[in-house]
Amino acid sequence: MARILSAIQPSGTLTIGNYLGALKNFVKLQDEHECLFFIVDQHAITVPQDRLELRKKIKELTALYLACGLDPEKATIFVQSEVPGHTQLAWMLTCNTSMGELERMTQFKDKSQKQAAKGQGIGVGLFMYPVLMAADILLYDVDFVPVGDDQKQHLELTRDLAERFNNRFGETFKIPEPLIAKTGARIMSLQEPTKKMSKSDDNPRNFILMTDEPNVIRKKIKSAVTDSDGIIAFDRENKPGLSNLLEIYSVITGESIDSIVARYEGCGYGQFKSDLAEVVVAELEPIQNRMKELLNSPIIDEVLDRGAEQANKLAFKKVKKVEHKMGLGRKK
Ligand code: TYM
């Protein structure tokens, strides 16, 4: 049985990009593999957060995990900051990482530019972010990490750090493989379909949130940018808007893009968009209802307490092993 791990930041509300690129796949994987899925609150604080809001978002994301079908009987679900091994290992990995490796990270370049544009200094936490992510993964000897396309570079760094450590200190870490789906790994913005859909986008018409009301979803899809040639076809380069909508339809329903294109041959974009809106609403509405019920129940704390206990057991062993390899502390 392979071990699978992934995580999501509790900053902002998730978009259908996060859902289709990551969370929906987590649910499929839990039936056949040993899974760890967590909430990376320590990653969220690499940019400024309101403390009460962050706390609320941690619970909301847990409720969303469960509402989407993650089952605490099958997967270990926990909060990163409740497992100190993550930051402990991150420090040991930091001491084996070069500045140049982190300066090359495209997400760091994007995010630091945004911070600078707001007149805010660039936090060291933002710079160190990929090392903490590497620690998240290497702590648990995982085989696969299901993520969206934007995390590919971070996964490559994780593999490099693991290999380097193993060469320097002897076999310590398993080398993880990214698991990036063929469709859905890069859901694009609705108004600017050449850029990624992101929860931190300033224009709410660019994304669909997991918590958007049905009528908001319908409006956003109706006004999504397409093109003027009126032909339903998948062509990411020349028809990025329509191709993105086809991809969303395909990942939600499981129908292949070719089959959707064939079914809509000769139809206008209007019909396709209104059908897509109903597909999205039908997927999200039950999740939203379950999420509301869960938020008011004690289940969330029970799940997270149990998850932290399980994760801590695994993490503690690995931290001790790495400390021993690096000569930290006293030999007992
Ligand atoms: P985060 O919180 O930004 O995003 C969570 C997951 O959603 C995917 N994603 C998308 N997929 C498709 N289309 C999009 N438009 C889209 N936007 C986001 C992301 O690729 C991700 O899989 N660094 C990570 C969190 C993390 C992590 C980890 C992941 C921390 N430690 C260890 C895996 C393993 C992040 O910021 O994801």
PDB file of all heavy atoms in Angstrom, residues 5-9 17-18 20-22 38 40 43 107 111 129 133 136-137 145-151 154 184-188 196-199, ligand 1:
ATOM      1  N   LEU A   5       0.449  11.776   0.632  1.00  0.00           N
ATOM      2  CA  LEU A   5       0.323  12.940   1.522  1.00  0.00           C
ATOM      3  C   LEU A   5       0.059  14.185   0.695  1.00  0.00           C
ATOM      4  O   LEU A   5       0.611  14.348  -0.399  1.00  0.00           O
ATOM      5  CB  LEU A   5       1.635  13.084   2.297  1.00  0.00           C
ATOM      6  CG  LEU A   5       1.928  14.368   3.067  1.00  0.00           C
ATOM      7  CD1 LEU A   5       2.789  14.046   4.283  1.00  0.00           C
ATOM      8  CD2 LEU A   5       2.599  15.448   2.236  1.00  0.00           C
ATOM      9  N   SER A   6      -0.799  15.054   1.200  1.00  0.00           N
ATOM     10  CA  SER A   6      -0.918  16.386   0.591  1.00  0.00           C
ATOM     11  C   SER A   6      -1.512  17.358   1.606  1.00  0.00           C
ATOM     12  O   SER A   6      -1.976  16.942   2.670  1.00  0.00           O
ATOM     13  CB  SER A   6      -1.764  16.344  -0.684  1.00  0.00           C
ATOM     14  OG  SER A   6      -1.512  17.518  -1.427  1.00  0.00           O
ATOM     15  N   ALA A   7      -1.471  18.636   1.257  1.00  0.00           N
ATOM     16  CA  ALA A   7      -1.920  19.657   2.201  1.00  0.00           C
ATOM     17  C   ALA A   7      -2.424  20.892   1.450  1.00  0.00           C
ATOM     18  O   ALA A   7      -2.078  21.105   0.288  1.00  0.00           O
ATOM     19  CB  ALA A   7      -0.758  20.050   3.110  1.00  0.00           C
ATOM     20  N   ILE A   8      -3.216  21.671   2.159  1.00  0.00           N
ATOM     21  CA  ILE A   8      -3.771  22.900   1.574  1.00  0.00           C
ATOM     22  C   ILE A   8      -3.650  24.012   2.613  1.00  0.00           C
ATOM     23  O   ILE A   8      -3.783  23.777   3.814  1.00  0.00           O
ATOM     24  CB  ILE A   8      -5.252  22.689   1.156  1.00  0.00           C
ATOM     25  CG1 ILE A   8      -5.336  21.574   0.087  1.00  0.00           C
ATOM     26  CG2 ILE A   8      -5.874  23.979   0.626  1.00  0.00           C
ATOM     27  CD1 ILE A   8      -6.726  21.292  -0.448  1.00  0.00           C
ATOM     28  N   GLN A   9      -3.427  25.233   2.146  1.00  0.00           N
ATOM     29  CA  GLN A   9      -3.312  26.370   3.058  1.00  0.00           C
ATOM     30  C   GLN A   9      -4.698  26.873   3.465  1.00  0.00           C
ATOM     31  O   GLN A   9      -5.564  27.005   2.612  1.00  0.00           O
ATOM     32  CB  GLN A   9      -2.616  27.535   2.364  1.00  0.00           C
ATOM     33  CG  GLN A   9      -1.178  27.287   2.032  1.00  0.00           C
ATOM     34  CD  GLN A   9      -0.504  28.589   1.630  1.00  0.00           C
ATOM     35  OE1 GLN A   9      -0.412  29.522   2.417  1.00  0.00           O
ATOM     36  NE2 GLN A   9      -0.052  28.651   0.401  1.00  0.00           N
ATOM     37  N   GLY A  17     -10.530  25.574  -8.308  1.00  0.00           N
ATOM     38  CA  GLY A  17      -9.188  25.184  -8.764  1.00  0.00           C
ATOM     39  C   GLY A  17      -8.542  24.272  -7.732  1.00  0.00           C
ATOM     40  O   GLY A  17      -8.056  23.190  -8.060  1.00  0.00           O
ATOM     41  N   ASN A  18      -8.568  24.688  -6.465  1.00  0.00           N
ATOM     42  CA  ASN A  18      -8.011  23.847  -5.390  1.00  0.00           C
ATOM     43  C   ASN A  18      -8.757  22.517  -5.313  1.00  0.00           C
ATOM     44  O   ASN A  18      -8.160  21.462  -5.083  1.00  0.00           O
ATOM     45  CB  ASN A  18      -8.152  24.528  -4.017  1.00  0.00           C
ATOM     46  CG  ASN A  18      -7.433  25.860  -3.936  1.00  0.00           C
ATOM     47  OD1 ASN A  18      -8.061  26.892  -3.734  1.00  0.00           O
ATOM     48  ND2 ASN A  18      -6.119  25.853  -4.096  1.00  0.00           N
ATOM     49  N   LEU A  20     -10.615  20.934  -7.749  1.00  0.00           N
ATOM     50  CA  LEU A  20     -10.458  20.032  -8.900  1.00  0.00           C
ATOM     51  C   LEU A  20      -9.005  19.579  -9.070  1.00  0.00           C
ATOM     52  O   LEU A  20      -8.739  18.467  -9.515  1.00  0.00           O
ATOM     53  CB  LEU A  20     -10.963  20.706 -10.187  1.00  0.00           C
ATOM     54  CG  LEU A  20     -12.446  21.106 -10.151  1.00  0.00           C
ATOM     55  CD1 LEU A  20     -12.842  21.820 -11.438  1.00  0.00           C
ATOM     56  CD2 LEU A  20     -13.338  19.893  -9.922  1.00  0.00           C
ATOM     57  N   GLY A  21      -8.063  20.455  -8.701  1.00  0.00           N
ATOM     58  CA  GLY A  21      -6.654  20.111  -8.866  1.00  0.00           C
ATOM     59  C   GLY A  21      -6.126  19.245  -7.735  1.00  0.00           C
ATOM     60  O   GLY A  21      -5.140  18.534  -7.900  1.00  0.00           O
ATOM     61  N   ALA A  22      -6.768  19.316  -6.567  1.00  0.00           N
ATOM     62  CA  ALA A  22      -6.210  18.612  -5.419  1.00  0.00           C
ATOM     63  C   ALA A  22      -7.265  17.829  -4.636  1.00  0.00           C
ATOM     64  O   ALA A  22      -7.306  16.604  -4.684  1.00  0.00           O
ATOM     65  CB  ALA A  22      -5.499  19.619  -4.515  1.00  0.00           C
ATOM     66  N   PHE A  38      -3.456  17.309   5.399  1.00  0.00           N
ATOM     67  CA  PHE A  38      -3.453  18.264   6.505  1.00  0.00           C
ATOM     68  C   PHE A  38      -3.637  19.704   6.053  1.00  0.00           C
ATOM     69  O   PHE A  38      -3.777  19.992   4.866  1.00  0.00           O
ATOM     70  CB  PHE A  38      -2.216  18.074   7.387  1.00  0.00           C
ATOM     71  CG  PHE A  38      -0.902  18.038   6.663  1.00  0.00           C
ATOM     72  CD1 PHE A  38      -0.004  19.085   6.782  1.00  0.00           C
ATOM     73  CD2 PHE A  38      -0.549  16.948   5.881  1.00  0.00           C
ATOM     74  CE1 PHE A  38       1.220  19.053   6.146  1.00  0.00           C
ATOM     75  CE2 PHE A  38       0.681  16.902   5.230  1.00  0.00           C
ATOM     76  CZ  PHE A  38       1.561  17.962   5.355  1.00  0.00           C
ATOM     77  N   VAL A  40      -2.111  23.442   6.275  1.00  0.00           N
ATOM     78  CA  VAL A  40      -0.798  24.035   6.545  1.00  0.00           C
ATOM     79  C   VAL A  40      -0.932  25.485   7.010  1.00  0.00           C
ATOM     80  O   VAL A  40      -0.722  26.435   6.267  1.00  0.00           O
ATOM     81  CB  VAL A  40       0.160  23.890   5.331  1.00  0.00           C
ATOM     82  CG1 VAL A  40       0.692  22.474   5.243  1.00  0.00           C
ATOM     83  CG2 VAL A  40      -0.495  24.272   4.023  1.00  0.00           C
ATOM     84  N   HIS A  43       2.300  27.493   6.800  1.00  0.00           N
ATOM     85  CA  HIS A  43       2.559  28.060   5.473  1.00  0.00           C
ATOM     86  C   HIS A  43       1.739  29.342   5.274  1.00  0.00           C
ATOM     87  O   HIS A  43       2.205  30.291   4.660  1.00  0.00           O
ATOM     88  CB  HIS A  43       2.212  27.063   4.364  1.00  0.00           C
ATOM     89  CG  HIS A  43       3.310  26.097   4.084  1.00  0.00           C
ATOM     90  ND1 HIS A  43       3.378  24.852   4.649  1.00  0.00           N
ATOM     91  CD2 HIS A  43       4.406  26.208   3.298  1.00  0.00           C
ATOM     92  CE1 HIS A  43       4.471  24.236   4.231  1.00  0.00           C
ATOM     93  NE2 HIS A  43       5.109  25.033   3.409  1.00  0.00           N
ATOM     94  N   GLN A 107       7.165  30.592  -7.437  1.00  0.00           N
ATOM     95  CA  GLN A 107       6.118  31.094  -6.544  1.00  0.00           C
ATOM     96  C   GLN A 107       6.663  32.142  -5.582  1.00  0.00           C
ATOM     97  O   GLN A 107       5.978  33.114  -5.262  1.00  0.00           O
ATOM     98  CB  GLN A 107       5.475  29.941  -5.772  1.00  0.00           C
ATOM     99  CG  GLN A 107       4.018  29.884  -6.139  1.00  0.00           C
ATOM    100  CD  GLN A 107       3.236  28.827  -5.396  1.00  0.00           C
ATOM    101  OE1 GLN A 107       3.482  28.498  -4.230  1.00  0.00           O
ATOM    102  NE2 GLN A 107       2.248  28.305  -6.073  1.00  0.00           N
ATOM    103  N   LYS A 111       5.081  35.851  -5.409  1.00  0.00           N
ATOM    104  CA  LYS A 111       4.526  36.337  -4.141  1.00  0.00           C
ATOM    105  C   LYS A 111       5.336  37.493  -3.574  1.00  0.00           C
ATOM    106  O   LYS A 111       4.790  38.428  -2.998  1.00  0.00           O
ATOM    107  CB  LYS A 111       4.423  35.208  -3.117  1.00  0.00           C
ATOM    108  CG  LYS A 111       3.315  34.223  -3.446  1.00  0.00           C
ATOM    109  CD  LYS A 111       3.049  33.305  -2.273  1.00  0.00           C
ATOM    110  CE  LYS A 111       1.959  32.299  -2.611  1.00  0.00           C
ATOM    111  NZ  LYS A 111       1.720  31.342  -1.540  1.00  0.00           N
ATOM    112  N   TYR A 129       9.526  29.075   2.622  1.00  0.00           N
ATOM    113  CA  TYR A 129       8.310  28.290   2.407  1.00  0.00           C
ATOM    114  C   TYR A 129       8.564  26.892   1.796  1.00  0.00           C
ATOM    115  O   TYR A 129       8.096  25.875   2.309  1.00  0.00           O
ATOM    116  CB  TYR A 129       7.401  29.149   1.519  1.00  0.00           C
ATOM    117  CG  TYR A 129       6.067  28.606   1.142  1.00  0.00           C
ATOM    118  CD1 TYR A 129       4.895  29.198   1.611  1.00  0.00           C
ATOM    119  CD2 TYR A 129       5.942  27.524   0.284  1.00  0.00           C
ATOM    120  CE1 TYR A 129       3.665  28.716   1.243  1.00  0.00           C
ATOM    121  CE2 TYR A 129       4.712  27.034  -0.084  1.00  0.00           C
ATOM    122  CZ  TYR A 129       3.581  27.632   0.392  1.00  0.00           C
ATOM    123  OH  TYR A 129       2.362  27.155   0.038  1.00  0.00           O
ATOM    124  N   MET A 133       7.758  23.037   3.193  1.00  0.00           N
ATOM    125  CA  MET A 133       6.952  22.081   2.414  1.00  0.00           C
ATOM    126  C   MET A 133       7.718  20.767   2.218  1.00  0.00           C
ATOM    127  O   MET A 133       7.139  19.679   2.313  1.00  0.00           O
ATOM    128  CB  MET A 133       6.569  22.708   1.072  1.00  0.00           C
ATOM    129  CG  MET A 133       5.777  21.777   0.199  1.00  0.00           C
ATOM    130  SD  MET A 133       4.924  22.661  -1.118  1.00  0.00           S
ATOM    131  CE  MET A 133       4.516  21.288  -2.189  1.00  0.00           C
ATOM    132  N   ASP A 136       7.389  18.878   5.362  1.00  0.00           N
ATOM    133  CA  ASP A 136       6.038  18.276   5.461  1.00  0.00           C
ATOM    134  C   ASP A 136       6.019  16.895   4.822  1.00  0.00           C
ATOM    135  O   ASP A 136       5.379  15.972   5.309  1.00  0.00           O
ATOM    136  CB  ASP A 136       5.007  19.103   4.669  1.00  0.00           C
ATOM    137  CG  ASP A 136       4.726  20.474   5.258  1.00  0.00           C
ATOM    138  OD1 ASP A 136       5.046  20.690   6.432  1.00  0.00           O
ATOM    139  OD2 ASP A 136       4.185  21.324   4.511  1.00  0.00           O
ATOM    140  N   ILE A 137       6.689  16.812   3.696  1.00  0.00           N
ATOM    141  CA  ILE A 137       6.616  15.587   2.895  1.00  0.00           C
ATOM    142  C   ILE A 137       7.624  14.545   3.389  1.00  0.00           C
ATOM    143  O   ILE A 137       7.285  13.387   3.615  1.00  0.00           O
ATOM    144  CB  ILE A 137       6.888  15.936   1.406  1.00  0.00           C
ATOM    145  CG1 ILE A 137       5.805  16.910   0.898  1.00  0.00           C
ATOM    146  CG2 ILE A 137       6.945  14.676   0.552  1.00  0.00           C
ATOM    147  CD1 ILE A 137       6.126  17.567  -0.434  1.00  0.00           C
ATOM    148  N   VAL A 145       2.656  12.474  -3.894  1.00  0.00           N
ATOM    149  CA  VAL A 145       2.097  13.729  -3.394  1.00  0.00           C
ATOM    150  C   VAL A 145       1.152  14.303  -4.465  1.00  0.00           C
ATOM    151  O   VAL A 145       1.606  14.852  -5.466  1.00  0.00           O
ATOM    152  CB  VAL A 145       3.228  14.743  -3.084  1.00  0.00           C
ATOM    153  CG1 VAL A 145       2.660  16.015  -2.458  1.00  0.00           C
ATOM    154  CG2 VAL A 145       4.273  14.128  -2.167  1.00  0.00           C
ATOM    155  N   PRO A 146      -0.162  14.142  -4.283  1.00  0.00           N
ATOM    156  CA  PRO A 146      -1.095  14.687  -5.272  1.00  0.00           C
ATOM    157  C   PRO A 146      -1.222  16.205  -5.126  1.00  0.00           C
ATOM    158  O   PRO A 146      -1.618  16.704  -4.076  1.00  0.00           O
ATOM    159  CB  PRO A 146      -2.423  13.997  -4.929  1.00  0.00           C
ATOM    160  CG  PRO A 146      -2.305  13.598  -3.491  1.00  0.00           C
ATOM    161  CD  PRO A 146      -0.853  13.423  -3.187  1.00  0.00           C
ATOM    162  N   VAL A 147      -0.864  16.926  -6.172  1.00  0.00           N
ATOM    163  CA  VAL A 147      -0.910  18.397  -6.143  1.00  0.00           C
ATOM    164  C   VAL A 147      -1.317  18.923  -7.521  1.00  0.00           C
ATOM    165  O   VAL A 147      -1.289  18.187  -8.505  1.00  0.00           O
ATOM    166  CB  VAL A 147       0.465  19.021  -5.798  1.00  0.00           C
ATOM    167  CG1 VAL A 147       0.756  18.991  -4.315  1.00  0.00           C
ATOM    168  CG2 VAL A 147       1.591  18.373  -6.580  1.00  0.00           C
ATOM    169  N   GLY A 148      -1.628  20.206  -7.566  1.00  0.00           N
ATOM    170  CA  GLY A 148      -1.857  20.875  -8.837  1.00  0.00           C
ATOM    171  C   GLY A 148      -0.507  21.199  -9.476  1.00  0.00           C
ATOM    172  O   GLY A 148       0.551  21.099  -8.829  1.00  0.00           O
ATOM    173  N   ASP A 149      -0.578  21.603 -10.715  1.00  0.00           N
ATOM    174  CA  ASP A 149       0.614  21.872 -11.515  1.00  0.00           C
ATOM    175  C   ASP A 149       1.560  22.921 -10.893  1.00  0.00           C
ATOM    176  O   ASP A 149       2.780  22.829 -11.007  1.00  0.00           O
ATOM    177  CB  ASP A 149       0.067  22.352 -12.874  1.00  0.00           C
ATOM    178  CG  ASP A 149       1.132  22.703 -13.836  1.00  0.00           C
ATOM    179  OD1 ASP A 149       1.778  21.760 -14.313  1.00  0.00           O
ATOM    180  OD2 ASP A 149       1.336  23.902 -14.088  1.00  0.00           O
ATOM    181  N   ASP A 150       0.984  23.894 -10.171  1.00  0.00           N
ATOM    182  CA  ASP A 150       1.810  24.989  -9.620  1.00  0.00           C
ATOM    183  C   ASP A 150       2.772  24.528  -8.513  1.00  0.00           C
ATOM    184  O   ASP A 150       3.654  25.289  -8.118  1.00  0.00           O
ATOM    185  CB  ASP A 150       0.919  26.138  -9.105  1.00  0.00           C
ATOM    186  CG  ASP A 150      -0.002  25.704  -7.982  1.00  0.00           C
ATOM    187  OD1 ASP A 150      -0.183  24.485  -7.769  1.00  0.00           O
ATOM    188  OD2 ASP A 150      -0.542  26.585  -7.291  1.00  0.00           O
ATOM    189  N   GLN A 151       2.603  23.303  -8.022  1.00  0.00           N
ATOM    190  CA  GLN A 151       3.481  22.834  -6.939  1.00  0.00           C
ATOM    191  C   GLN A 151       4.626  21.954  -7.441  1.00  0.00           C
ATOM    192  O   GLN A 151       5.417  21.440  -6.651  1.00  0.00           O
ATOM    193  CB  GLN A 151       2.661  22.064  -5.887  1.00  0.00           C
ATOM    194  CG  GLN A 151       1.604  22.901  -5.199  1.00  0.00           C
ATOM    195  CD  GLN A 151       2.206  24.093  -4.463  1.00  0.00           C
ATOM    196  OE1 GLN A 151       3.225  23.980  -3.792  1.00  0.00           O
ATOM    197  NE2 GLN A 151       1.589  25.253  -4.611  1.00  0.00           N
ATOM    198  N   HIS A 154       8.136  22.947  -6.390  1.00  0.00           N
ATOM    199  CA  HIS A 154       8.392  22.677  -4.973  1.00  0.00           C
ATOM    200  C   HIS A 154       8.673  21.187  -4.736  1.00  0.00           C
ATOM    201  O   HIS A 154       9.487  20.824  -3.890  1.00  0.00           O
ATOM    202  CB  HIS A 154       7.195  23.116  -4.116  1.00  0.00           C
ATOM    203  CG  HIS A 154       7.037  24.603  -4.045  1.00  0.00           C
ATOM    204  ND1 HIS A 154       5.845  25.214  -3.734  1.00  0.00           N
ATOM    205  CD2 HIS A 154       7.921  25.606  -4.249  1.00  0.00           C
ATOM    206  CE1 HIS A 154       6.014  26.528  -3.740  1.00  0.00           C
ATOM    207  NE2 HIS A 154       7.256  26.788  -4.057  1.00  0.00           N
ATOM    208  N   GLY A 184      -7.366  19.083 -15.017  1.00  0.00           N
ATOM    209  CA  GLY A 184      -7.740  19.703 -13.744  1.00  0.00           C
ATOM    210  C   GLY A 184      -6.567  20.207 -12.928  1.00  0.00           C
ATOM    211  O   GLY A 184      -6.751  20.877 -11.918  1.00  0.00           O
ATOM    212  N   ALA A 185      -5.333  19.922 -13.364  1.00  0.00           N
ATOM    213  CA  ALA A 185      -4.175  20.306 -12.549  1.00  0.00           C
ATOM    214  C   ALA A 185      -3.865  21.804 -12.647  1.00  0.00           C
ATOM    215  O   ALA A 185      -3.060  22.325 -11.873  1.00  0.00           O
ATOM    216  CB  ALA A 185      -2.955  19.506 -12.965  1.00  0.00           C
ATOM    217  N   ARG A 186      -4.488  22.470 -13.617  1.00  0.00           N
ATOM    218  CA  ARG A 186      -4.269  23.911 -13.726  1.00  0.00           C
ATOM    219  C   ARG A 186      -5.556  24.569 -14.233  1.00  0.00           C
ATOM    220  O   ARG A 186      -5.727  24.807 -15.436  1.00  0.00           O
ATOM    221  CB  ARG A 186      -3.102  24.195 -14.679  1.00  0.00           C
ATOM    222  CG  ARG A 186      -2.587  25.603 -14.573  1.00  0.00           C
ATOM    223  CD  ARG A 186      -1.296  25.796 -15.358  1.00  0.00           C
ATOM    224  NE  ARG A 186      -0.829  27.157 -15.211  1.00  0.00           N
ATOM    225  CZ  ARG A 186      -0.146  27.594 -14.158  1.00  0.00           C
ATOM    226  NH1 ARG A 186       0.189  26.782 -13.205  1.00  0.00           N
ATOM    227  NH2 ARG A 186       0.224  28.861 -14.097  1.00  0.00           N
ATOM    228  N   ILE A 187      -6.471  24.818 -13.317  1.00  0.00           N
ATOM    229  CA  ILE A 187      -7.722  25.488 -13.676  1.00  0.00           C
ATOM    230  C   ILE A 187      -7.412  26.980 -13.778  1.00  0.00           C
ATOM    231  O   ILE A 187      -6.734  27.547 -12.923  1.00  0.00           O
ATOM    232  CB  ILE A 187      -8.809  25.197 -12.601  1.00  0.00           C
ATOM    233  CG1 ILE A 187      -9.094  23.690 -12.503  1.00  0.00           C
ATOM    234  CG2 ILE A 187     -10.079  26.002 -12.884  1.00  0.00           C
ATOM    235  CD1 ILE A 187      -9.688  23.038 -13.729  1.00  0.00           C
ATOM    236  N   MET A 188      -7.896  27.586 -14.857  1.00  0.00           N
ATOM    237  CA  MET A 188      -7.508  28.965 -15.128  1.00  0.00           C
ATOM    238  C   MET A 188      -8.561  29.973 -14.644  1.00  0.00           C
ATOM    239  O   MET A 188      -9.710  29.613 -14.376  1.00  0.00           O
ATOM    240  CB  MET A 188      -7.275  29.143 -16.634  1.00  0.00           C
ATOM    241  CG  MET A 188      -6.330  28.112 -17.243  1.00  0.00           C
ATOM    242  SD  MET A 188      -4.755  28.004 -16.396  1.00  0.00           S
ATOM    243  CE  MET A 188      -3.828  29.213 -17.285  1.00  0.00           C
ATOM    244  N   LYS A 196      -3.560  31.415 -13.841  1.00  0.00           N
ATOM    245  CA  LYS A 196      -4.138  30.397 -12.956  1.00  0.00           C
ATOM    246  C   LYS A 196      -5.273  30.961 -12.099  1.00  0.00           C
ATOM    247  O   LYS A 196      -5.190  32.093 -11.647  1.00  0.00           O
ATOM    248  CB  LYS A 196      -2.994  29.915 -12.041  1.00  0.00           C
ATOM    249  CG  LYS A 196      -3.276  28.704 -11.240  1.00  0.00           C
ATOM    250  CD  LYS A 196      -2.148  28.457 -10.240  1.00  0.00           C
ATOM    251  CE  LYS A 196      -2.163  29.453  -9.091  1.00  0.00           C
ATOM    252  NZ  LYS A 196      -1.306  29.097  -7.959  1.00  0.00           N
ATOM    253  N   MET A 197      -6.315  30.174 -11.876  1.00  0.00           N
ATOM    254  CA  MET A 197      -7.350  30.595 -10.931  1.00  0.00           C
ATOM    255  C   MET A 197      -6.744  30.567  -9.535  1.00  0.00           C
ATOM    256  O   MET A 197      -6.141  29.573  -9.142  1.00  0.00           O
ATOM    257  CB  MET A 197      -8.555  29.640 -10.991  1.00  0.00           C
ATOM    258  CG  MET A 197      -9.692  30.077 -10.100  1.00  0.00           C
ATOM    259  SD  MET A 197     -11.103  28.928 -10.102  1.00  0.00           S
ATOM    260  CE  MET A 197     -11.884  29.273 -11.662  1.00  0.00           C
ATOM    261  N   SER A 198      -6.890  31.688  -8.815  1.00  0.00           N
ATOM    262  CA  SER A 198      -6.244  31.763  -7.511  1.00  0.00           C
ATOM    263  C   SER A 198      -7.160  32.430  -6.494  1.00  0.00           C
ATOM    264  O   SER A 198      -7.832  33.419  -6.799  1.00  0.00           O
ATOM    265  CB  SER A 198      -4.942  32.563  -7.660  1.00  0.00           C
ATOM    266  OG  SER A 198      -4.508  32.996  -6.406  1.00  0.00           O
ATOM    267  N   LYS A 199      -7.151  31.867  -5.253  1.00  0.00           N
ATOM    268  CA  LYS A 199      -8.017  32.428  -4.217  1.00  0.00           C
ATOM    269  C   LYS A 199      -7.556  33.812  -3.777  1.00  0.00           C
ATOM    270  O   LYS A 199      -8.309  34.558  -3.163  1.00  0.00           O
ATOM    271  CB  LYS A 199      -8.142  31.468  -3.029  1.00  0.00           C
ATOM    272  CG  LYS A 199      -6.829  31.050  -2.393  1.00  0.00           C
ATOM    273  CD  LYS A 199      -7.018  29.912  -1.394  1.00  0.00           C
ATOM    274  CE  LYS A 199      -5.657  29.365  -0.996  1.00  0.00           C
ATOM    275  NZ  LYS A 199      -5.640  28.023  -0.505  1.00  0.00           N
TER     276      LYS A 199
HETATM  277  P1  TYM B   1      -2.363  25.780  -2.000  1.00  0.00           P
HETATM  278  O1  TYM B   1      -3.018  25.867  -0.666  1.00  0.00           O
HETATM  279  O2  TYM B   1      -2.017  27.026  -2.697  1.00  0.00           O
HETATM  280  O3  TYM B   1      -3.250  24.931  -2.968  1.00  0.00           O
HETATM  281  C1  TYM B   1      -3.762  23.651  -2.589  1.00  0.00           C
HETATM  282  C2  TYM B   1      -3.749  22.720  -3.777  1.00  0.00           C
HETATM  283  O4  TYM B   1      -4.544  23.268  -4.837  1.00  0.00           O
HETATM  284  C3  TYM B   1      -3.796  23.238  -6.048  1.00  0.00           C
HETATM  285  N1  TYM B   1      -4.243  24.369  -6.886  1.00  0.00           N
HETATM  286  C4  TYM B   1      -4.751  24.229  -8.108  1.00  0.00           C
HETATM  287  N2  TYM B   1      -4.984  23.153  -8.876  1.00  0.00           N
HETATM  288  C5  TYM B   1      -5.540  23.361 -10.089  1.00  0.00           C
HETATM  289  N3  TYM B   1      -5.843  24.595 -10.576  1.00  0.00           N
HETATM  290  C6  TYM B   1      -5.616  25.702  -9.851  1.00  0.00           C
HETATM  291  N4  TYM B   1      -5.932  26.901 -10.329  1.00  0.00           N
HETATM  292  C7  TYM B   1      -5.044  25.554  -8.547  1.00  0.00           C
HETATM  293  N5  TYM B   1      -4.702  26.424  -7.567  1.00  0.00           N
HETATM  294  C8  TYM B   1      -4.205  25.681  -6.560  1.00  0.00           C
HETATM  295  C9  TYM B   1      -2.345  23.367  -5.615  1.00  0.00           C
HETATM  296  O5  TYM B   1      -1.469  22.906  -6.606  1.00  0.00           O
HETATM  297  C10 TYM B   1      -2.336  22.507  -4.377  1.00  0.00           C
HETATM  298  O6  TYM B   1      -2.182  21.134  -4.712  1.00  0.00           O
HETATM  299  N6  TYM B   1       2.385  24.693  -0.972  1.00  0.00           N
HETATM  300  C11 TYM B   1       1.056  24.137  -1.059  1.00  0.00           C
HETATM  301  C12 TYM B   1       0.595  23.524   0.223  1.00  0.00           C
HETATM  302  C13 TYM B   1       1.515  22.528   0.826  1.00  0.00           C
HETATM  303  C14 TYM B   1       1.674  21.175   0.415  1.00  0.00           C
HETATM  304  C15 TYM B   1       2.587  20.612   1.340  1.00  0.00           C
HETATM  305  C16 TYM B   1       1.147  20.430  -0.627  1.00  0.00           C
HETATM  306  C17 TYM B   1       2.296  22.720   1.926  1.00  0.00           C
HETATM  307  N7  TYM B   1       2.916  21.584   2.225  1.00  0.00           N
HETATM  308  C18 TYM B   1       2.991  19.271   1.226  1.00  0.00           C
HETATM  309  C19 TYM B   1       1.544  19.090  -0.720  1.00  0.00           C
HETATM  310  C20 TYM B   1       2.451  18.540   0.193  1.00  0.00           C
HETATM  311  C21 TYM B   1       0.092  25.244  -1.418  1.00  0.00           C
HETATM  312  O7  TYM B   1       0.332  26.384  -1.180  1.00  0.00           O
HETATM  313  O8  TYM B   1      -1.078  24.823  -1.921  1.00  0.00           O
END
